[in-house]
Amino acid sequence: MTHILIVEDEPRLRQDLGDFLELRGFDVTTAATAQDMRAALADGPPPAVIILDVGLPDGNGFDLAMEIRQSQDCRIIMLTAFGDSADRVRGYDSGADIYLVKHSTLREIEAAIRSLLRRTGSLSGPADGGKGWVLDKADWAAIAPDGTALKLTATEFAFLSLLCKRPGEICARDEIVKALARPGGHFDNRHLDAVVSRLRRKFARAANLSSAIKVVYGVGYTFTADIAVK
Ligand code: CA
């Protein structure tokens, strides 16, 4: 399996990105500091790609990229909150293959990884990690990759439809709450939490795939597996 090392000190981003890439079929190691990264490189399996945060508590990504280049034969995706061109140039000068800003979607980051792996010819496994889900509009059902059909309530269906419109992107809670509220009815964050936990239980019971609906803390939700609407 293709191994990815994520070096990021922000815990939620590290966790979200790690979970997402694992679901997409990669083998993932995470490190929160430059020191953790050095330990992972010394003891762990060699990564095909390192996703490197520019601002770490004990080092900066520009210096680390140069350091990695001296000992590792891998690709580097630099991840930063800053998007100005001087930083991008500095990123490429220090040895990054791709420079991404932090508001890139999880899918964009995955696409960048796959593009690098194709260039080096080290992509293993199917590009899409196998069969995906189908949202059945006629029957209000979600069909799991193994063919199991899960009946959905109107609200569950509306929720999944919203997520499907932007696969791999995060749908903001406020936006979902607004879209799911019916005229004259009351729907708030607590109702949304209830809908999501019911759906996740339903998915877990039927297909053991509860984590396909991913919570992005403080932001919203995303559906991390492939899903098509029919
Ligand atoms: Ca950081």
Side-chain angles (χ1 to χ4, degrees):
M1 217 190 272
T2 308
H3 183 225
I4 312 286
L5 174 60
I6 299 169
V7 189
E8 169 62 63
D9 63 317
E10 211 269 291
R12 283 171 184 167
L13 179 57
R14 188 171 68 238
Q15 176 98 41
D16 283 341
L17 188 54
D19 287 353
F20 178 73
L21 292 177
E22 272 179 359
L23 279 165
R24 304 296 294 157
F26 295 101
D27 183 19
V28 176
T29 302
T30 60
T33 61
Q35 199 184 346
D36 286 356
M37 179 198 82
R38 291 186 190 104
L41 289 174
D43 305 330
V49 176
I50 299 181
I51 299 176
L52 184 61
D53 178 22
V54 167
L56 291 164
D58 57 345
N60 81 69
F62 303 118
D63 296 340
L64 288 175
M66 285 192 269
E67 184 183 321
I68 292 165
R69 279 278 166 263
Q70 288 169 11
S71 65
Q72 300 288 319
D73 178 25
C74 68
R75 297 288 167 166
I76 299 173
I77 294 176
M78 213 171 253
L79 208 55
T80 176
F82 323 106
D84 69 61
S85 73
D87 263 348
R88 269 201 302 278
V89 169
R90 199 174 163 206
Y92 288 123
D93 279 350
S94 66
D97 295 285
I98 293 182
Y99 193 88
L100 289 177
V101 287
K102 278 193 179 171
H103 56 71
S104 304
T105 64
L106 299 175
R107 289 257 170 175
E108 278 171 322
I109 297 172
E110 182 196 2
I113 294 171
R114 293 199 185 278
S115 141
L116 284 178
L117 295 174
R118 267 194 302 274
R119 265 190 246 167
T120 51
S122 55
L123 192 61
S124 61
D128 274 316
K131 269 171 71 181
W133 287 76
V134 174
L135 188 63
D136 185 338
K137 270 195 331 210
D139 270 349
W140 280 11
I143 320 288
D146 69 354
T148 312
L150 308 174
K151 285 301 274 182
L152 303 171
T153 65
T155 312
E156 290 167 354
F157 181 80
F159 171 74
L160 280 182
S161 299
L162 272 177
L163 262 53
C164 288
K165 279 190 194 139
R166 284 174 295 159
E169 291 180 38
I170 296 156
C171 293
R173 293 186 69 95
D174 295 353
E175 198 185 324
I176 300 172
V177 166
K178 217 192 240 171
L180 296 188
R182 274 176 237 149
H186 179 68
F187 192 91
D188 62 20
N189 272 313
R190 278 186 307 117
H191 293 101
L192 177 58
D193 289 337
V195 168
V196 174
S197 57
R198 202 168 58 218
L199 254 181
R200 293 177 121 180
R201 279 199 302 275
K202 214 179 244 193
F203 279 24
R205 265 202 309 274
N208 201 22
L209 273 170
S210 56
S211 47
I213 300 171
K214 176 105 187 97
V215 185
V216 183
Y217 292 96
V219 185
Y221 293 97
T222 184
F223 198 85
T224 53
D226 278 339
I227 186 161
V229 183
K230 278 186 187 157

